[in-house]
Amino acid sequence: MTNLTEVQNEDNREFLVGDVVVSLCDDINPCLFEIKEAEHASYDELVKCKPLGSQTGFVCFLTINEIRHASVAELNAKRRMSVAEQAIGEVP
């Protein structure tokens, strides 16, 4: 039997409006994005996003398979964290 704490949810394809995500692409700005439209998007479809905290009307489209939900550490830092920064944050 597996404890719930041992189960990791790797399936990030279910996004809802209002979710905060980060891009997995290094070429994309490391800011946080809020999902504005995501109606049953499949693996290779785009979702409409807005940079979190942006006061402009700027929106962009990110591919579902190139984004993931932002971690708590990233929400606190208000940006996408590098793999090294995430590893340091996970040390007890």
Side-chain angles (χ1 to χ4, degrees):
M1 178 179 262
T2 304
N3 291 331
L4 286 178
T5 55
E6 296 172 357
V7 176
Q8 294 185 5
N9 183 6
E10 297 296 330
D11 186 0
N12 280 320
R13 286 180 233 140
E14 188 167 324
F15 296 100
L16 302 172
V17 172
D19 284 355
V20 178
V21 299
V22 293
S23 173
L24 299 174
C25 299
D26 291 333
D27 296 336
I28 302 292
N29 188 332
C31 69
L32 302 177
F33 296 92
E34 179 184 0
I35 300 214
K36 291 301 195 183
E37 290 180 22
E39 293 184 20
H40 307 291
S42 68
Y43 186 69
D44 60 347
E45 290 183 10
L46 301 173
V47 292
K48 185 177 181 179
C49 299
K50 176 184 171 193
L52 198 64
S54 173
Q55 300 302 321
T56 67
F58 176 77
V59 294
C60 58
F61 292 89
L62 300 173
T63 308
I64 289 277
N65 63 350
E66 294 179 344
I67 60 175
R68 64 170 170 77
H69 288 98
S71 68
V72 173
E74 289 169 324
L75 292 171
N76 290 333
K78 296 183 170 98
R79 64 179 174 82
R80 180 185 67 217
M81 298 177 79
S82 69
V83 174
E85 289 173 316
Q86 289 180 11
I88 291 170
E90 293 178 3
V91 175

Coordinates of all heavy atoms in Angstrom, one line a residue:
M1 N 0.8 -1.2 0.0 CA 0.0 0.0 0.0 C 0.9 1.2 0.0 O 1.9 1.3 0.7 CB -0.9 0.0 1.2 CG -1.8 1.2 1.3 SD -2.9 1.2 2.7 CE -4.3 0.6 1.9
T2 N 0.5 2.3 -0.7 CA 1.2 3.5 -0.8 C 0.5 4.6 0.0 O -0.7 4.8 -0.1 CB 1.3 3.9 -2.3 OG1 1.9 2.9 -3.1 CG2 2.1 5.2 -2.5
N3 N 1.3 5.3 0.7 CA 0.8 6.5 1.5 C 0.6 7.6 0.5 O 1.4 7.8 -0.5 CB 1.8 6.9 2.6 CG 1.8 5.9 3.7 OD1 0.9 5.2 3.9 ND2 3.0 5.8 4.4
L4 N -0.3 8.5 0.8 CA -0.6 9.6 -0.1 C 0.7 10.6 -0.1 O 0.9 11.2 -1.1 CB -1.8 10.4 0.4 CG -3.1 9.8 0.2 CD1 -4.2 10.6 0.8 CD2 -3.4 9.6 -1.3
T5 N 1.5 10.6 0.9 CA 2.6 11.5 0.9 C 3.7 10.9 0.0 O 4.6 11.6 -0.4 CB 3.2 11.6 2.3 OG1 3.5 10.3 2.8 CG2 2.3 12.4 3.2
E6 N 3.6 9.6 -0.4 CA 4.6 9.0 -1.3 C 4.2 9.2 -2.7 O 5.0 8.9 -3.6 CB 4.8 7.6 -0.9 CG 5.4 7.3 0.4 CD 5.4 5.9 0.8 OE1 4.8 5.0 0.0 OE2 5.9 5.5 1.9
V7 N 2.9 9.6 -3.0 CA 2.4 9.7 -4.3 C 2.7 11.1 -4.8 O 2.4 12.1 -4.2 CB 0.9 9.4 -4.4 CG1 0.4 9.6 -5.8 CG2 0.6 8.0 -3.9
Q8 N 3.3 11.1 -6.0 CA 3.6 12.4 -6.6 C 2.7 12.6 -7.9 O 2.6 11.7 -8.7 CB 5.1 12.5 -7.1 CG 6.0 12.6 -5.9 CD 7.4 12.8 -6.3 OE1 7.7 13.0 -7.5 NE2 8.3 12.7 -5.4
N9 N 2.1 13.7 -8.0 CA 1.2 14.0 -9.1 C 2.1 14.6 -10.2 O 2.5 15.8 -10.2 CB 0.1 14.9 -8.7 CG -0.8 15.1 -9.9 OD1 -0.7 14.5 -10.9 ND2 -1.8 16.0 -9.7
E10 N 2.4 13.8 -11.2 CA 3.2 14.3 -12.3 C 2.4 14.8 -13.5 O 2.9 15.3 -14.5 CB 4.2 13.2 -12.8 CG 5.2 12.8 -11.8 CD 6.1 13.9 -11.4 OE1 6.5 14.7 -12.2 OE2 6.6 13.9 -10.2
D11 N 1.1 14.6 -13.4 CA 0.2 14.9 -14.5 C -0.3 16.4 -14.3 O -1.2 16.6 -13.6 CB -1.0 14.0 -14.6 CG -1.8 14.2 -15.8 OD1 -1.5 15.1 -16.6 OD2 -2.8 13.5 -16.0
N12 N 0.4 17.3 -15.0 CA 0.0 18.7 -14.9 C -0.9 19.2 -16.0 O -1.0 20.4 -16.2 CB 1.3 19.6 -14.8 CG 1.9 19.6 -13.5 OD1 1.3 19.6 -12.5 ND2 3.3 19.5 -13.5
R13 N -1.5 18.3 -16.7 CA -2.2 18.7 -17.9 C -3.6 19.2 -17.6 O -4.3 19.8 -18.5 CB -2.3 17.6 -18.9 CG -1.0 17.3 -19.6 CD -1.0 16.2 -20.6 NE 0.0 15.3 -20.2 CZ 0.0 14.0 -20.2 NH1 -1.1 13.4 -20.6 NH2 1.0 13.3 -19.9
E14 N -4.0 19.1 -16.4 CA -5.4 19.6 -16.1 C -5.2 21.0 -15.4 O -4.9 21.2 -14.3 CB -6.1 18.7 -15.1 CG -7.5 19.1 -14.9 CD -8.4 18.1 -14.2 OE1 -8.1 16.9 -14.5 OE2 -9.2 18.5 -13.4
F15 N -5.4 22.0 -16.2 CA -5.3 23.4 -15.8 C -6.7 24.1 -15.8 O -7.5 23.8 -16.6 CB -4.4 24.2 -16.7 CG -3.0 23.7 -16.7 CD1 -2.5 22.8 -17.7 CD2 -2.1 24.0 -15.7 CE1 -1.2 22.4 -17.8 CE2 -0.8 23.5 -15.7 CZ -0.4 22.7 -16.7
L16 N -6.9 24.9 -14.8 CA -8.1 25.7 -14.6 C -7.8 27.1 -14.7 O -6.7 27.6 -14.4 CB -8.8 25.3 -13.3 CG -9.1 23.8 -13.0 CD1 -9.5 23.6 -11.6 CD2 -10.1 23.3 -14.0
V17 N -8.8 27.9 -15.1 CA -8.7 29.4 -15.1 C -8.3 29.8 -13.7 O -8.9 29.4 -12.7 CB -10.0 30.0 -15.6 CG1 -10.0 31.5 -15.4 CG2 -10.3 29.6 -17.0
G18 N -7.3 30.7 -13.6 CA -6.9 31.2 -12.3 C -5.7 30.5 -11.8 O -5.0 31.0 -10.9
D19 N -5.3 29.3 -12.3 CA -4.1 28.6 -11.9 C -2.9 29.4 -12.2 O -2.8 30.1 -13.2 CB -4.0 27.2 -12.6 CG -4.9 26.2 -12.0 OD1 -5.6 26.4 -11.1 OD2 -5.0 25.1 -12.6
V20 N -1.9 29.3 -11.4 CA -0.6 30.0 -11.6 C 0.4 29.0 -12.1 O 0.6 27.9 -11.5 CB -0.1 30.7 -10.3 CG1 1.2 31.4 -10.6 CG2 -1.1 31.7 -9.8
V21 N 1.0 29.2 -13.2 CA 1.9 28.3 -13.9 C 3.2 29.0 -14.2 O 3.3 30.2 -14.2 CB 1.3 27.7 -15.2 CG1 0.0 27.0 -14.9 CG2 1.0 28.8 -16.2
V22 N 4.2 28.2 -14.5 CA 5.5 28.6 -15.0 C 5.8 27.9 -16.3 O 5.4 26.8 -16.5 CB 6.7 28.5 -14.0 CG1 6.5 29.3 -12.8 CG2 6.8 27.0 -13.6
S23 N 6.6 28.5 -17.2 CA 7.0 27.9 -18.4 C 8.2 27.0 -18.2 O 9.1 27.4 -17.4 CB 7.3 29.0 -19.5 OG 7.8 28.4 -20.6
L24 N 8.3 25.9 -18.8 CA 9.4 25.0 -18.7 C 10.5 25.4 -19.7 O 11.6 24.9 -19.6 CB 9.0 23.6 -19.0 CG 8.0 23.0 -18.0 CD1 7.5 21.6 -18.5 CD2 8.5 23.0 -16.6
C25 N 10.2 26.4 -20.6 CA 11.2 26.8 -21.6 C 12.1 27.9 -21.0 O 11.6 28.9 -20.5 CB 10.5 27.3 -22.8 SG 9.4 26.1 -23.6
D26 N 13.4 27.7 -21.2 CA 14.4 28.7 -20.7 C 14.3 30.0 -21.5 O 14.7 31.0 -20.9 CB 15.8 28.1 -20.8 CG 16.0 27.0 -19.7 OD1 15.3 27.0 -18.7 OD2 16.9 26.1 -20.0
D27 N 13.8 29.9 -22.7 CA 13.7 31.1 -23.5 C 12.6 32.1 -23.1 O 12.5 33.2 -23.5 CB 13.6 30.8 -25.0 CG 14.8 30.0 -25.5 OD1 15.9 30.2 -24.9 OD2 14.7 29.3 -26.5
I28 N 11.6 31.5 -22.3 CA 10.5 32.3 -21.9 C 10.8 33.0 -20.6 O 11.5 32.5 -19.7 CB 9.3 31.4 -21.7 CG1 8.9 30.6 -23.0 CG2 8.0 32.1 -21.2 CD1 8.4 31.4 -24.1
N29 N 10.3 34.2 -20.4 CA 10.5 35.0 -19.2 C 10.2 34.1 -18.0 O 9.2 33.4 -18.0 CB 9.5 36.2 -19.3 CG 9.8 37.2 -18.2 OD1 10.3 36.8 -17.1 ND2 9.4 38.4 -18.4
P30 N 11.0 34.1 -16.9 CA 10.8 33.3 -15.8 C 9.7 33.8 -14.8 O 9.6 33.3 -13.7 CB 12.2 33.3 -15.1 CG 12.8 34.6 -15.4 CD 12.3 34.9 -16.8
C31 N 8.8 34.6 -15.3 CA 7.8 35.1 -14.4 C 6.7 34.1 -14.3 O 6.6 33.1 -14.9 CB 7.2 36.4 -15.0 SG 6.2 36.3 -16.5
L32 N 5.8 34.3 -13.4 CA 4.6 33.5 -13.1 C 3.5 33.9 -14.1 O 3.4 35.1 -14.4 CB 4.1 33.6 -11.7 CG 5.1 33.2 -10.6 CD1 4.5 33.4 -9.2 CD2 5.6 31.8 -10.8
F33 N 2.7 33.0 -14.5 CA 1.6 33.3 -15.4 C 0.3 32.8 -14.8 O 0.3 31.7 -14.2 CB 1.8 32.6 -16.8 CG 3.0 33.1 -17.6 CD1 4.2 32.4 -17.4 CD2 2.9 34.2 -18.4 CE1 5.3 32.9 -18.2 CE2 4.0 34.6 -19.1 CZ 5.2 34.0 -19.0
E34 N -0.8 33.6 -15.0 CA -2.1 33.1 -14.6 C -2.9 32.7 -15.8 O -2.9 33.4 -16.8 CB -2.8 34.3 -13.9 CG -4.2 33.9 -13.4 CD -5.0 35.1 -12.8 OE1 -4.4 36.2 -12.8 OE2 -6.1 34.9 -12.5
I35 N -3.5 31.5 -15.7 CA -4.3 31.0 -16.8 C -5.6 31.8 -16.9 O -6.3 32.0 -15.9 CB -4.6 29.5 -16.6 CG1 -3.3 28.8 -16.6 CG2 -5.5 29.0 -17.7 CD1 -3.2 27.4 -17.1
K36 N -5.9 32.3 -18.1 CA -7.1 33.1 -18.3 C -8.1 32.3 -19.1 O -9.3 32.5 -18.9 CB -6.7 34.4 -19.2 CG -5.9 35.4 -18.4 CD -6.7 35.8 -17.2 CE -6.2 37.0 -16.5 NZ -7.0 37.3 -15.3
E37 N -7.7 31.4 -19.9 CA -8.7 30.5 -20.7 C -8.0 29.2 -20.9 O -6.9 29.1 -21.4 CB -9.0 31.1 -22.0 CG -9.9 32.3 -22.0 CD -10.2 32.9 -23.4 OE1 -10.1 32.1 -24.4 OE2 -10.5 34.0 -23.5
A38 N -8.7 28.1 -20.5 CA -8.2 26.7 -20.7 C -9.4 25.8 -20.7 O -9.7 25.2 -19.7 CB -7.2 26.4 -19.6
E39 N -10.1 25.7 -21.8 CA -11.3 24.8 -21.9 C -10.9 23.5 -22.4 O -10.7 23.3 -23.6 CB -12.3 25.5 -22.8 CG -12.9 26.8 -22.2 CD -14.0 27.3 -23.0 OE1 -14.6 26.5 -23.8 OE2 -14.3 28.5 -22.9
H40 N -10.7 22.5 -21.5 CA -10.5 21.1 -21.8 C -9.3 21.0 -22.8 O -9.4 20.3 -23.9 CB -11.7 20.4 -22.4 CG -12.9 20.5 -21.5 ND1 -12.9 19.9 -20.3 CD2 -14.0 21.2 -21.6 CE1 -14.1 20.2 -19.7 NE2 -14.8 21.0 -20.5
A41 N -8.2 21.7 -22.6 CA -7.1 21.7 -23.5 C -6.4 20.4 -23.5 O -6.2 19.8 -22.4 CB -6.1 22.8 -23.1
S42 N -6.1 19.9 -24.6 CA -5.4 18.6 -24.7 C -3.9 18.9 -24.6 O -3.4 20.0 -24.6 CB -5.7 17.9 -26.0 OG -5.2 18.6 -27.1
Y43 N -3.1 17.8 -24.7 CA -1.6 17.9 -24.4 C -0.9 18.9 -25.3 O 0.0 19.5 -24.8 CB -1.1 16.5 -24.6 CG 0.4 16.3 -24.2 CD1 0.8 16.4 -22.9 CD2 1.3 16.1 -25.2 CE1 2.1 16.3 -22.5 CE2 2.7 16.0 -24.8 CZ 3.0 16.1 -23.5 OH 4.4 16.0 -23.1
D44 N -1.3 19.0 -26.5 CA -0.5 19.9 -27.4 C -1.2 21.2 -27.7 O -0.8 22.0 -28.6 CB -0.2 19.2 -28.8 CG -1.4 18.8 -29.5 OD1 -2.5 18.8 -28.9 OD2 -1.3 18.4 -30.7
E45 N -2.2 21.6 -27.0 CA -3.0 22.8 -27.2 C -2.4 23.9 -26.4 O -1.6 23.8 -25.5 CB -4.4 22.6 -26.9 CG -5.1 21.7 -27.9 CD -6.6 21.5 -27.6 OE1 -7.2 22.3 -26.8 OE2 -7.2 20.6 -28.2
L46 N -2.9 25.1 -26.8 CA -2.4 26.4 -26.1 C -3.4 26.8 -25.1 O -4.6 26.6 -25.2 CB -2.2 27.5 -27.1 CG -1.2 27.2 -28.3 CD1 -1.3 28.3 -29.3 CD2 0.2 27.0 -27.7
V47 N -2.9 27.5 -24.0 CA -3.8 28.1 -23.1 C -3.5 29.6 -23.0 O -2.3 30.0 -23.2 CB -3.7 27.5 -21.6 CG1 -4.2 26.1 -21.6 CG2 -2.3 27.5 -21.1
K48 N -4.5 30.4 -22.8 CA -4.3 31.9 -22.8 C -3.8 32.2 -21.4 O -4.5 31.9 -20.4 CB -5.6 32.6 -23.1 CG -5.5 34.1 -23.3 CD -6.8 34.6 -23.7 CE -6.8 36.1 -23.8 NZ -8.2 36.6 -24.3
C49 N -2.7 32.9 -21.3 CA -2.1 33.3 -20.0 C -1.8 34.8 -19.9 O -1.6 35.4 -21.0 CB -0.8 32.5 -19.8 SG -1.0 30.7 -19.7
K50 N -1.7 35.3 -18.7 CA -1.3 36.7 -18.5 C -0.2 36.6 -17.4 O -0.3 35.9 -16.4 CB -2.5 37.4 -18.0 CG -2.2 38.9 -17.6 CD -3.4 39.5 -17.0 CE -3.0 40.9 -16.4 NZ -4.1 41.5 -15.6
P51 N 0.9 37.4 -17.6 CA 1.9 37.5 -16.6 C 1.3 37.9 -15.3 O 0.5 38.9 -15.3 CB 2.9 38.5 -17.1 CG 2.7 38.4 -18.6 CD 1.2 38.2 -18.8
L52 N 1.6 37.2 -14.2 CA 1.0 37.5 -12.9 C 1.4 38.9 -12.4 O 2.6 39.2 -12.5 CB 1.4 36.5 -11.9 CG 0.6 36.4 -10.6 CD1 -0.9 36.0 -10.9 CD2 1.2 35.4 -9.7
G53 N 0.5 39.7 -12.0 CA 0.8 41.1 -11.5 C 0.9 42.1 -12.6 O 1.1 43.3 -12.3
S54 N 0.8 41.7 -13.9 CA 0.9 42.7 -15.0 C -0.4 43.6 -15.0 O -1.5 43.1 -14.9 CB 1.0 41.9 -16.3 OG 0.9 42.8 -17.4
Q55 N -0.1 44.8 -15.1 CA -1.2 45.8 -15.2 C -1.7 46.1 -16.6 O -2.6 46.8 -16.8 CB -0.8 47.1 -14.4 CG -0.4 46.9 -13.0 CD -1.6 46.3 -12.2 OE1 -2.7 46.6 -12.4 NE2 -1.2 45.4 -11.3
T56 N -0.9 45.6 -17.5 CA -1.2 45.8 -18.9 C -2.2 44.8 -19.4 O -2.5 43.8 -18.7 CB 0.0 45.8 -19.8 OG1 0.5 44.5 -19.8 CG2 1.1 46.8 -19.3
G57 N -2.7 44.9 -20.6 CA -3.6 44.0 -21.2 C -2.9 42.8 -21.9 O -3.5 42.1 -22.7
F58 N -1.6 42.7 -21.7 CA -0.8 41.8 -22.4 C -1.2 40.3 -22.0 O -1.3 40.0 -20.9 CB 0.7 42.0 -22.1 CG 1.6 40.9 -22.7 CD1 2.0 41.0 -24.0 CD2 2.1 39.9 -21.9 CE1 2.8 40.0 -24.6 CE2 2.9 38.9 -22.5 CZ 3.3 39.0 -23.8
V59 N -1.4 39.5 -23.0 CA -1.6 38.1 -22.8 C -0.8 37.3 -23.8 O -0.3 37.8 -24.8 CB -3.1 37.7 -23.0 CG1 -4.0 38.3 -22.0 CG2 -3.6 38.0 -24.4
C60 N -0.5 36.1 -23.5 CA 0.3 35.2 -24.3 C -0.4 33.8 -24.4 O -1.2 33.5 -23.6 CB 1.7 35.1 -23.9 SG 1.9 34.5 -22.2
F61 N 0.1 33.0 -25.3 CA -0.4 31.6 -25.4 C 0.8 30.7 -25.1 O 1.8 30.8 -25.8 CB -1.0 31.4 -26.7 CG -2.3 32.2 -26.9 CD1 -2.3 33.5 -27.4 CD2 -3.5 31.6 -26.6 CE1 -3.4 34.2 -27.6 CE2 -4.7 32.4 -26.7 CZ -4.6 33.6 -27.3
L62 N 0.6 29.8 -24.2 CA 1.6 28.8 -23.8 C 1.1 27.4 -24.1 O -0.1 27.1 -23.9 CB 2.0 28.9 -22.3 CG 2.6 30.3 -21.9 CD1 2.8 30.3 -20.4 CD2 3.9 30.6 -22.6
T63 N 2.0 26.5 -24.5 CA 1.6 25.2 -24.9 C 1.4 24.4 -23.6 O 2.3 24.5 -22.7 CB 2.6 24.5 -25.8 OG1 2.9 25.4 -26.9 CG2 2.2 23.2 -26.2
I64 N 0.4 23.6 -23.5 CA 0.1 22.8 -22.3 C 1.3 21.9 -21.9 O 1.6 21.8 -20.7 CB -1.1 21.9 -22.5 CG1 -2.4 22.7 -22.5 CG2 -1.2 20.8 -21.5 CD1 -2.9 23.1 -21.2
N65 N 2.0 21.3 -22.8 CA 3.1 20.4 -22.5 C 4.4 21.1 -22.2 O 5.4 20.5 -21.9 CB 3.3 19.4 -23.6 CG 3.7 20.0 -24.9 OD1 3.7 21.2 -25.1 ND2 4.1 19.2 -25.9
E66 N 4.4 22.5 -22.2 CA 5.6 23.2 -21.8 C 5.3 24.1 -20.6 O 6.1 25.1 -20.4 CB 6.0 24.1 -23.0 CG 6.5 23.2 -24.2 CD 6.9 24.0 -25.4 OE1 6.6 25.2 -25.5 OE2 7.6 23.4 -26.2
I67 N 4.3 23.8 -19.8 CA 4.1 24.6 -18.6 C 3.8 23.6 -17.5 O 3.5 22.4 -17.7 CB 2.9 25.6 -18.7 CG1 1.6 24.9 -19.0 CG2 3.2 26.7 -19.7 CD1 0.4 25.8 -19.0
R68 N 3.9 24.1 -16.2 CA 3.6 23.3 -15.1 C 3.1 24.2 -14.0 O 3.3 25.4 -14.1 CB 4.7 22.5 -14.5 CG 5.9 23.3 -14.1 CD 7.0 22.5 -13.3 NE 8.1 23.3 -13.1 CZ 8.2 24.2 -12.1 NH1 7.2 24.5 -11.3 NH2 9.4 24.9 -11.9
H69 N 2.4 23.7 -13.0 CA 1.9 24.5 -11.9 C 3.1 25.1 -11.2 O 4.1 24.4 -11.0 CB 1.0 23.7 -11.0 CG -0.3 23.4 -11.6 ND1 -0.6 22.2 -12.2 CD2 -1.5 24.1 -11.7 CE1 -1.9 22.2 -12.6 NE2 -2.4 23.4 -12.4
A70 N 3.0 26.3 -10.7 CA 4.0 26.9 -9.9 C 4.1 26.3 -8.5 O 3.0 25.9 -7.9 CB 3.8 28.4 -9.8
S71 N 5.3 26.1 -8.0 CA 5.5 25.5 -6.7 C 5.2 26.6 -5.6 O 5.2 27.8 -5.9 CB 6.9 24.9 -6.5 OG 7.8 26.0 -6.5
V72 N 5.1 26.2 -4.4 CA 4.9 27.2 -3.3 C 6.1 28.1 -3.2 O 6.0 29.3 -3.0 CB 4.7 26.5 -1.9 CG1 4.7 27.4 -0.8 CG2 3.4 25.7 -2.0
A73 N 7.3 27.6 -3.4 CA 8.5 28.4 -3.3 C 8.5 29.4 -4.5 O 8.9 30.6 -4.3 CB 9.8 27.5 -3.4
E74 N 8.1 29.0 -5.6 CA 8.0 30.0 -6.8 C 6.9 31.0 -6.5 O 7.1 32.2 -6.9 CB 7.7 29.2 -8.1 CG 8.9 28.4 -8.5 CD 8.6 27.4 -9.6 OE1 7.5 26.8 -9.6 OE2 9.5 27.2 -10.4
L75 N 5.8 30.6 -5.9 CA 4.8 31.6 -5.6 C 5.4 32.7 -4.6 O 5.1 33.9 -4.8 CB 3.6 31.0 -5.0 CG 2.7 30.1 -5.9 CD1 1.7 29.3 -5.2 CD2 2.1 30.9 -7.0
N76 N 6.1 32.2 -3.7 CA 6.7 33.1 -2.7 C 7.8 34.0 -3.4 O 7.9 35.2 -3.0 CB 7.4 32.4 -1.5 CG 6.3 31.8 -0.6 OD1 5.2 32.2 -0.6 ND2 6.6 30.7 0.0
A77 N 8.6 33.4 -4.3 CA 9.6 34.2 -5.0 C 9.1 35.1 -6.1 O 9.8 35.9 -6.6 CB 10.7 33.2 -5.5
K78 N 7.8 34.8 -6.5 CA 7.2 35.5 -7.6 C 7.9 35.4 -8.9 O 7.9 36.3 -9.8 CB 7.0 37.0 -7.2 CG 6.1 37.2 -6.0 CD 5.9 38.7 -5.8 CE 4.8 38.9 -4.8 NZ 5.2 39.1 -3.4
R79 N 8.5 34.2 -9.1 CA 9.2 33.9 -10.4 C 9.5 32.4 -10.5 O 9.4 31.7 -9.5 CB 10.5 34.6 -10.5 CG 11.5 34.2 -9.5 CD 12.8 35.0 -9.6 NE 13.7 34.6 -8.5 CZ 14.5 33.6 -8.4 NH1 14.5 32.7 -9.4 NH2 15.3 33.4 -7.4
R80 N 9.8 31.9 -11.7 CA 10.2 30.5 -11.9 C 11.6 30.3 -11.3 O 12.4 31.2 -11.4 CB 10.2 30.2 -13.4 CG 10.7 28.7 -13.6 CD 10.8 28.4 -15.1 NE 11.9 29.2 -15.6 CZ 12.0 29.8 -16.8 NH1 11.0 29.7 -17.7 NH2 13.0 30.5 -17.3
M81 N 11.8 29.3 -10.5 CA 13.0 29.0 -9.9 C 13.8 28.0 -10.7 O 13.2 27.1 -11.4 CB 12.8 28.5 -8.5 CG 12.1 29.5 -7.6 SD 11.8 28.9 -5.9 CE 13.4 29.1 -5.2
S82 N 15.1 28.1 -10.7 CA 16.0 27.1 -11.4 C 15.9 25.8 -10.6 O 15.5 25.7 -9.5 CB 17.4 27.6 -11.5 OG 18.0 27.6 -10.2
V83 N 16.4 24.7 -11.3 CA 16.4 23.4 -10.7 C 17.3 23.4 -9.4 O 16.9 22.8 -8.4 CB 16.9 22.3 -11.7 CG1 17.1 21.0 -11.1 CG2 16.0 22.2 -12.9
A84 N 18.4 24.1 -9.5 CA 19.3 24.2 -8.3 C 18.6 24.9 -7.2 O 18.7 24.5 -6.0 CB 20.6 25.0 -8.7
E85 N 17.9 26.0 -7.5 CA 17.2 26.7 -6.4 C 16.1 25.9 -5.8 O 15.9 25.9 -4.6 CB 16.5 28.0 -7.0 CG 17.5 29.1 -7.3 CD 16.9 30.3 -8.0 OE1 16.1 30.1 -8.9 OE2 17.2 31.4 -7.6
Q86 N 15.4 25.1 -6.6 CA 14.3 24.2 -6.1 C 14.9 23.1 -5.2 O 14.4 22.8 -4.2 CB 13.5 23.6 -7.2 CG 12.7 24.6 -8.0 CD 11.9 24.0 -9.1 OE1 11.8 22.8 -9.2 NE2 11.2 24.8 -9.9
A87 N 16.1 22.6 -5.6 CA 16.7 21.6 -4.8 C 17.1 22.1 -3.4 O 17.0 21.4 -2.4 CB 18.0 21.0 -5.5
I88 N 17.7 23.3 -3.4 CA 18.1 23.9 -2.1 C 16.8 24.1 -1.2 O 16.9 23.9 0.0 CB 18.8 25.3 -2.3 CG1 20.1 25.0 -3.0 CG2 18.9 26.0 -1.0 CD1 20.8 26.2 -3.5
G89 N 15.7 24.6 -1.9 CA 14.5 24.8 -1.1 C 13.9 23.5 -0.5 O 13.1 23.6 0.4
E90 N 14.2 22.4 -1.1 CA 13.6 21.1 -0.6 C 14.4 20.4 0.5 O 14.1 19.4 1.0 CB 13.5 20.1 -1.8 CG 12.5 20.6 -2.8 CD 12.3 19.7 -4.0 OE1 13.0 18.7 -4.0 OE2 11.6 20.1 -4.9
V91 N 15.6 21.0 0.8 CA 16.4 20.4 1.9 C 15.8 20.7 3.2 O 15.5 21.9 3.5 CB 17.9 21.0 1.8 CG1 18.7 20.5 3.0 CG2 18.5 20.7 0.5
P92 N 15.6 19.7 4.0 CA 14.9 19.9 5.3 C 15.7 20.8 6.3 O 16.9 20.9 6.2 CB 14.7 18.5 5.9 CG 15.5 17.6 5.1 CD 15.9 18.3 3.8

